[in-house]
Amino acid sequence: VLENFWCASELMEVAGAVIQDAVDVLGRVRQDVTAGCTVRLEIARKKSESQGTDGLYEQLGAEAGLATFVDKLYEQMQADARIKHYFSGSKLEAVKASQGQYLAVMFGAPVQYQGRPLDRIHAVMTISDYEFDSFLECAQAALRGVGADSSSVDECVVLLETARRDVLINRRPHDVKKTQEAASAKSVYEKLGGEIGVTNLVENMYTKALEDARIKSFFEKN
């Protein structure tokens, strides 16, 4: 939804800084909108804690299934404009092999991870929560692509989420000055052009949403 909001705003030639402010405001309602997803993930977390990951590893197809998943994951990430720049270069195959082993262990493979700790790998990288969320979306799409059911996908997302802190070890710091400046500036509503601007923006956003196969079912008339 936020992607479509951003796209609709650009079509209306809204300034980039204003779009970002609006996205930040909309992001505050994420928890209310995703309440159902939160419940599913909590169920998956409890299942993983009580039953372990041995069953998950088998459900994903064991060694062969995990290898296929990693292949599809990289296809997704290399096609995603938000994060593809992290997955290129001459050492990509080595990175893929190491990450594949890490994910296999995370999902219950009976092997030992031989690579460097995640926090050391990402210490020189500046990755945002938005980019990590994008990675999770790619992972979910790849899991569905190998035939994983909703329960297994949720379990995997819960496990992947545990890596966020180490991956974002060098997370971009909060800009206090920018926050103070925004507080004394016009409201996002005013920056978007008031009632007329917001009305046009919502109409454009709905048009884009209805063209997006991933979410159009939520916006179509019953």
Side-chain angles (χ1 to χ4, degrees), residues 108-121:
V111 297
Q112 292 292 321
Y113 172 60
Q114 303 296 323
R116 292 182 297 156
L118 283 191
D119 56 350
R120 288 180 56 193
I121 293 173

Side-chain angles (χ1 to χ4, degrees), residues 109-183:
V111 297
Q112 292 292 321
Y113 172 60
Q114 303 296 323
R116 292 182 297 156
L118 283 191
D119 56 350
R120 288 180 56 193
I121 293 173
H122 297 89
V124 297
M125 305 170 71
T126 304
I127 301 174
S128 68
D129 281 294
Y130 172 75
E131 290 167 329
F132 191 82
D133 288 343
S134 300
F135 163 74
L136 291 181
E137 287 183 21
C138 288
Q140 291 177 72
L143 286 164
R144 289 192 291 268
V146 298
D149 59 27
S150 297
S151 177
S152 296
V153 172
D154 287 348
E155 285 188 68
C156 290
V157 170
V158 167
L159 293 168
L160 289 169
E161 184 63 42
T162 64
R164 183 184 293 267
R165 183 179 65 179
D166 289 337
V167 172
L168 304 187
I169 190 70
N170 196 27
R171 177 187 283 145
R172 298 188 186 107
H174 178 59
D175 192 332
V176 177
K177 183 178 180 181
K178 180 180 178 181
T179 301
Q180 292 174 334
E181 292 174 346

Side-chain angles (χ1 to χ4, degrees), residues 1-3 27 30 34 45 66 76 90 103 117 122 127 144 156-157 160 165 167 174 176 189 202 208 210 219:
V1 173
L2 291 179
E3 285 180 25
R30 178 190 292 266
T34 61
R45 183 186 66 79
L66 263 296
Q76 291 284 336
S90 59
L103 293 174
H122 297 89
I127 301 174
R144 289 192 291 268
C156 290
V157 170
L160 289 169
R165 183 179 65 179
V167 172
H174 178 59
V176 177
Y189 180 77
V202 171
K208 296 298 295 183
L210 289 171
F219 296 90

Side-chain angles (χ1 to χ4, degrees), residues 12 189 192-204:
M12 293 177 61
Y189 180 77
L192 289 173
E195 181 177 355
I196 294 177
V198 171
T199 298
N200 290 335
L201 180 58
V202 171
E203 289 178 354
N204 284 327

